Amino acid sequence: SYCSKMIESQSYKFIRDNGTLNYSEFATDPCKSMFGKVMSYFIPTLPNMTDNPKVHVARIGDQWTALGETQVQVIFDKDTLESVGVTEYAPKNFAYKTTAHPHFENDSAWNVVIKFGMFSYYQIYDTAKQGNKPVASIPVDKPSYLHGFGITENYFIIVAPPLVVTPIQLLYWQRPYIENHKWIPERGTIFYVIDKRTGKLQGKYKTDPFFLFHHVNAWEQQDGLVMDINAYDDDAIVRSYYLRELERPDLQLPKGTLRRYNLSFTTGKIEQQIISEACLELPRIDYHRFNTNRQYRFVYGVSVHPQHPVGFYNSLVKIDSTSGHNEYWYQEGCYPGEPCFVPSPDGKTDEDGVLLSIVLDVHAGNSFLLVLDAKTMMQMARATVPYPVLYGFHGEYFA
């Protein structure tokens, strides 16, 4: 069976009822007056600030939540899909954004809050405990755009690319959110390593500039950390996601690749290795069994097939992080969404399971749920609905 419902955010309801955009989103802006922009910064409840939780879903504590990078996350009923309330990670803070990728560990759901102001901070919250204080607060002069972060047994890892914003520019907000950021490669990419037990900054490490949306996995070694990251040479991928670019018939997306970063606490140096040259985005692993586990091996994601390099993500890819070997699923005219790995109940490795992906079939004009054998990347089943499902970012499987 299949059912769907739009989250009843204030942003959605205004557009539905009025037919016009009234909220500042990630890369669109209703061009409000300067007064309205300034006041919406000081009073985040004003309509200029979106509450659109469009990025992810998660079960946090006993609540089912639609997540965005905004201050407000929307709680919904898992059976009816009705919106039943909202929650904020840091309700008394001045102005902030979050990532949409919390990390789950025992009863905790860790997430990063980027707090903007005269003094700005990267903060870590346990979002399963509402209204609590941050467990870490790291000052920063120009916050980077962050979409996720890393975690190991003893550390939080914030990887801050040189796509940065001067907080005062957000105050006057003359452009959409992301367009207030500037790529400053000479700043390099900074790794902030935070001790989970104390909340103190263990170290701040700089390497050559790169951009990222997604962390893949991380673990500890004797002299430091190893981090697998879905990385880009620069921030061109952000501009490539604008509709005007996606509509180009000759579109070739910048290629994110799976890269390994070895950080030595002794020398403070970071060594980079490109594990695979395959195009990768929306990476997933067997998270519940192999996150922070050095024994992990396989990464799954959307890709642009090397024999069909023009256009949007048109295939699924499986990357062996130990050998760099790639395997693909591809069907002409099909655009798969993020693959969600579901392990076999008696599986021993992180390829013992299935991949679930919502696929848009442009020829049929509808979508289907694709089920792949993660070991062979061969189709096991598909379930078709008679209409297209909105292409999204992230999803989850709940047993």
Side-chain angles (χ1 to χ4, degrees), residues 66-348:
L67 305 175
E69 296 181 343
T70 60
Q71 292 174 305
V72 175
Q73 316 294 314
V74 177
I75 304 167
F76 64 92
D77 184 287
K78 71 177 179 66
D79 297 314
T80 66
L81 303 185
E82 295 284 347
S83 303
V84 296
V86 298
T87 184
E88 285 192 63
Y89 295 160
K92 296 182 179 181
N93 265 326
F94 174 48
Y96 69 94
K97 71 176 288 294
T98 73
T99 85
H101 290 282
H103 277 287
F104 298 93
E105 186 179 46
N106 301 320
D107 295 328
S108 294
W110 306 110
N111 207 346
V112 172
V113 165
I114 304 95
K115 182 180 178 182
F116 303 104
M118 183 177 296
F119 301 100
S120 297
Y121 299 88
Y122 298 140
Q123 298 180 325
I124 305 288
Y125 278 81
D126 183 353
T127 63
K129 300 172 184 176
Q130 298 299 321
N132 63 330
K133 295 181 179 180
V135 299
S137 189
I138 308 301
V140 57
D141 59 342
K142 293 184 177 181
S144 295
Y145 170 69
L146 302 179
H147 183 77
F149 67 108
I151 190 172
T152 68
E153 181 182 356
N154 295 296
Y155 300 102
F156 302 113
I157 308 160
I158 297 175
V159 178
L163 184 63
V164 298
V165 64
T166 302
I168 193 68
Q169 292 177 307
L170 293 178
L171 171 62
Y172 293 109
W173 209 309
Q174 298 183 62
R175 295 182 295 273
Y177 171 76
I178 195 61
E179 292 182 7
N180 291 283
H181 292 68
K182 293 184 178 180
W183 180 255
I184 308 177
E186 57 269 26
R187 289 177 64 97
T189 292
I190 307 297
F191 288 65
Y192 295 85
V193 179
I194 302 166
D195 191 306
K196 286 166 64 176
R197 294 163 295 184
T198 66
K200 301 298 183 181
L201 183 66
Q202 187 278 340
K204 180 178 174 182
Y205 307 91
K206 180 178 178 180
T207 190
D208 295 336
F210 68 89
F211 179 75
L212 75 157
F213 289 112
H214 297 111
H215 291 250
V216 177
N217 204 356
W219 59 94
E220 297 168 19
Q221 57 185 4
Q222 185 174 6
D223 182 41
L225 304 175
V226 181
M227 294 152 285
D228 283 2
I229 292 173
N230 188 180
Y232 297 82
D233 292 337
D234 56 36
D235 67 328
I237 187 63
V238 177
R239 297 183 294 276
S240 297
Y241 286 155
Y242 278 83
L243 184 59
R244 61 178 178 266
E245 297 297 321
L246 297 179
E247 290 177 329
R248 289 173 45 195
D250 60 344
L251 170 70
Q252 293 200 38
L253 290 170
K255 188 169 68 173
T257 55
L258 180 61
R259 306 182 190 182
R260 178 161 294 173
Y261 293 86
N262 282 273
L263 189 161
S264 169
F265 290 156
T266 301
T267 66
K269 294 183 178 180
I270 300 174
E271 297 180 354
Q272 173 193 302
Q273 171 193 358
I274 297 178
I275 293 176
S276 169
E277 292 287 354
C279 174
L280 176 69
E281 195 41 81
L282 306 181
R284 295 294 292 263
I285 63 171
D286 184 351
Y287 181 89
H288 294 290
R289 295 190 302 182
F290 285 89
N291 189 50
T292 74
N293 186 338
R294 70 179 64 229
Q295 301 301 319
Y296 112 99
R297 182 174 175 184
F298 294 103
V299 182
Y300 310 91
V302 298
S303 184
V304 177
H305 196 281
Q307 296 179 8
H308 307 275
V310 177
F312 198 60
Y313 301 110
N314 56 18
S315 61
L316 295 173
V317 67
K318 172 186 178 181
I319 300 175
D320 186 335
S321 68
T322 62
S323 68
H325 176 72
N326 311 316
E327 294 183 65
Y328 293 89
W329 177 90
Y330 171 83
Q331 181 176 320
E332 196 273 330
C334 288
Y335 296 87
E338 175 190 47
C340 181
F341 181 86
V342 182
S344 299
D346 56 353
K348 303 299 182 184

Side-chain angles (χ1 to χ4, degrees), residues 19-40:
T20 58
L21 179 68
N22 196 49
Y23 289 73
S24 291
E25 300 281 352
F26 179 80
T28 52
D29 195 288
C31 298
K32 284 184 166 290
S33 69
M34 180 64 70
F35 176 78
K37 291 175 185 293
V38 172
M39 289 307 296
S40 69

